[in-house]
């Protein structure tokens, strides 16, 4: 069969571990000999064996003279696991098909060079666009040293987040909200502004029928107004980090809550840039920004938003709180235009998924 078929399977295997591998990329591998699939594998968790190792272990001695399809260039460095290039070479693989090149400095073409030097034929670029789309967050994280930021908002058809009285529970239906919880599950961290904490007292946890990972909770709270009684403080479900300008009280404000840390950021620096830099240093590769509208606007304004999920309910509220309010200026520059990635109906609502052209 043609290489694309096997690479498509490798991409599906890679995608199956979404939300588990951070800060590593999603990688899938398929070993094929005489058109028979003799091994498959996916990288499941940072520090665990890479996809190629799983596939070659399954293939065993049949790997001699076989082909290996891998969605990302095999690693050439000893990270938490030995270099995949060594394992591939010693397994007697004849040809390696690669979808995307790894931008990670220690790899970036080195893996391919080593395989070729060992006499292995390497064919690159098979389903490259799909592979790069799958690991867009990883490539962004490596390239810019910042988390990949996805905004999520829910509104009525007339762009209202809530009614005049501020009631927003619930604008979208149960099916849409469950879809949101899947997005929480695959993100490393979730961020809201203190206004959302004060108004909705959210848990920001992942509550799916079959469980799911809780993203770390990030609260932007310049004047440290988060109440000690807030769910994100008291529920002990997952770590909560509060970023504030209030350096006087940062150290002591939540001493009684071991899962809560407060980090102060001086007024002078660009608050959001600094928050993203610190989150990257904590290994947070993907950030899910649930709002509210001022927070969304500040990310868009700063050109720091990479994607947007907008859930729209078939309702009209009339006067009420608007989406993306940006009192300072209009979003007119190029950086605020987007490309739709996917538009679909979910229950009674629609979900618009778009990428910012920053
Ligand atoms: N009002 C709505 C939302 N509202 C989103 C935020 O305002 C809520 O505070 C947050 O989702 C609550 O988080 P929780 O406590 O973990 O459930 N989000 C949605 O998708 N649809 C809505 O209709």
């Amino acid at each position: 069969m043609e290489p694309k078929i096997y690479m498509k399977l490798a991409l599906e295997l890679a995608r199956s571990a979404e939300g588990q591998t951070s800060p590593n990329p999603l990688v899938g591998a398929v070993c094929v000999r005489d058109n028979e699939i003799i091994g498959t594998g996916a990288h499941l968790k940072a520090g665990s064996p890479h996809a190629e190792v799983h596939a070659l272990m399954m293939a065993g001695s049949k790997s001699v003279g076989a082909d290996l399809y891998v969605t990302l260039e095999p690693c050439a460095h000893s990270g938490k696991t030995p270099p995949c290039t060594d394992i591939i070479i010693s397994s007697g693989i004849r040809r390696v098909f690669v979808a995307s090149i790894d931008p990670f400095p220690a790899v970036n073409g080195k893996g391919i060079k080593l395989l070729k030097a060992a006499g292995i034929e390497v064919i690159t670029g098979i389903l490259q666009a799909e592979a790069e789309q799958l690991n867009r967050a990883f490539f962004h994280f490596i390239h810019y040293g910042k988390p990949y930021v996805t905004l999520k908002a829910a509104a009525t058809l007339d762009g209202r987040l809530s009614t005049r009285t501020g009631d927003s529970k619930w604008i979208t239906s149960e099916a849409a909200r469950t879809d949101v919880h899947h997005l929480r599950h695959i993100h490393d961290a979730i961020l809201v502004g203190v206004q959302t904490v004060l108004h909705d007292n959210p848990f920001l946890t992942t509550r799916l029928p079959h469980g799911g990972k809780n993203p770390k909770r990030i609260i932007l709270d310049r004047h440290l107004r988060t109440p000690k009684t807030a769910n994100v403080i008291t529920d002990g479900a997952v770590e909560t980090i509060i970023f504030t300008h209030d350096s006087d009280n940062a150290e002591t404000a939540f001493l009684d809550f071991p899962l809560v840390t407060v980090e102060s950021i001086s007024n002078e620096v660009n608050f959001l840039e600094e928050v993203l830099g610190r989150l990257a240093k904590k290994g947070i590769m993907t950030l899910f920004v649930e709002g509210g509208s001022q927070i969304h606007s500040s990310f868009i304004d700063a050109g720091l938003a990479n994607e947007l999920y907008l859930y729209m309910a078939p309702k009209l509220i009339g006067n009420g709180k608007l989406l993306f309010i940006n009192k300072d200026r209009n979003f007119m520059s190029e950086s605020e235009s987007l490309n739709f990635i996917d538009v679909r109906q979910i229950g009674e609502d629609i979900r618009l998924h778009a990428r910012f052209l920053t």
Side-chain angles (χ1 to χ4, degrees):
M1 287 199 279
E2 64 153 338
K4 278 185 182 171
I5 306 285
Y6 297 122
M7 194 60 83
K8 206 157 177 50
L9 172 58
L11 283 166
E12 284 315 307
L13 287 161
R15 189 174 288 110
S16 66
E18 200 168 20
Q20 297 181 197
T21 63
S22 184
N24 284 1
L26 293 165
V27 188
V30 174
C31 194
V32 181
R33 185 192 169 112
D34 304 331
N35 265 342
E36 181 195 357
I37 295 175
I38 54 173
T40 59
H43 181 48
L44 300 176
K45 201 167 181 59
S48 73
H50 288 186
E52 303 93 317
V53 176
H54 288 299
L56 291 170
M57 294 283 279
M58 196 187 289
S61 57
K62 283 186 176 174
S63 61
V64 176
D67 293 337
L68 183 67
Y69 294 79
V70 61
T71 58
L72 185 67
E73 175 186 11
C75 65
H77 64 287
S78 295
K80 298 189 185 104
T81 53
C84 290
T85 43
D86 294 357
I87 299 162
I88 293 169
I89 292 165
S90 58
S91 64
I93 285 288
R94 181 171 63 101
R95 292 184 303 178
V96 174
F97 293 80
V98 177
S100 54
I101 308 296
D102 189 333
F104 191 67
V107 188
N108 202 353
K110 220 172 280 169
I112 290 175
K113 273 201 200 86
L114 283 170
L115 293 174
K116 286 183 173 173
I120 293 174
E121 188 186 347
V122 180
I123 302 97
T124 58
I126 314 281
L127 298 185
Q128 178 173 347
E130 291 84 339
E132 289 175 351
Q133 166 66 10
L134 179 69
N135 275 317
R136 60 196 184 281
F138 172 73
F139 292 138
H140 176 91
F141 184 69
I142 297 294
H143 192 76
Y144 295 102
K146 283 188 294 212
Y148 190 80
V149 175
T150 298
L151 310 184
K152 171 261 162 184
T156 56
L157 276 186
D158 54 349
R160 266 57 182 183
L161 286 173
S162 64
T163 60
R164 176 57 69 199
T165 57
D167 177 29
S168 72
K169 291 202 170 166
W170 292 97
I171 288 177
T172 56
S173 63
E174 185 67 31
R177 296 204 305 276
T178 303
D179 193 64
V180 170
H181 280 249
H182 172 72
L183 292 174
R184 289 181 176 181
H185 165 68
I186 62 171
H187 278 82
D188 296 336
I190 184 169
L191 182 150
V192 293
V194 64
Q195 206 49 45
T196 294
V197 174
L198 293 169
H199 194 270
D200 301 346
N201 191 19
F203 288 94
L204 302 179
T205 48
T206 299
R207 303 184 301 276
L208 288 166
H210 46 280
K213 170 174 66 53
N214 289 329
K216 286 187 173 65
R217 296 178 293 205
I218 313 299
I219 314 294
L220 299 191
D221 183 359
R222 283 177 170 74
H223 308 297
L224 218 43
R225 294 185 292 148
T226 302
K228 284 189 170 43
T229 54
N231 290 327
V232 292
I233 301 295
T234 60
D235 74 352
V238 64
E239 188 186 351
T240 296
I241 306 170
I242 300 175
F243 288 103
T244 182
H245 283 325
D246 181 352
S247 52
D248 301 340
N249 299 297
E251 294 282 311
T252 56
F254 295 94
L255 277 179
D256 309 345
F257 302 93
L259 282 179
V260 180
T261 50
V262 182
E263 294 199 19
S264 66
I265 295 176
S266 73
N267 275 301
E268 286 69 55
V269 300
N270 177 320
F271 192 62
L272 285 186
E273 284 276 1
E274 181 61 21
V275 167
L276 292 184
R278 295 195 192 185
L279 293 181
K281 288 198 182 84
K282 298 173 194 293
I284 288 170
M285 187 164 85
T286 54
L287 179 65
F288 194 52
V289 178
E290 278 219 17
S293 55
Q294 273 304 318
I295 297 292
H296 284 147
S297 302
S298 52
F299 271 91
I300 297 169
D301 219 10
L304 294 173
N306 300 104
E307 279 186 23
L308 164 69
Y309 280 95
L310 177 55
Y311 293 81
M312 298 201 89
K315 294 170 184 164
L316 297 168
I317 280 189
N319 63 351
K321 203 154 182 297
L322 271 173
L323 267 173
F324 308 139
I325 303 168
N326 191 48
K327 297 192 186 72
D328 314 338
R329 67 181 185 83
N330 295 320
F331 296 133
M332 295 307 281
S333 69
E334 178 54 30
S335 69
E336 273 72 57
S337 62
L338 300 96
N339 260 349
F340 279 125
I341 297 172
D342 172 74
V343 178
R344 66 178 69 179
Q345 178 151 358
I346 297 184
E348 300 136 39
D349 309 305
I350 56 170
R351 187 188 77 181
L352 310 178
H353 180 198
R355 170 191 308 110
F356 284 88
L357 303 178
T358 36

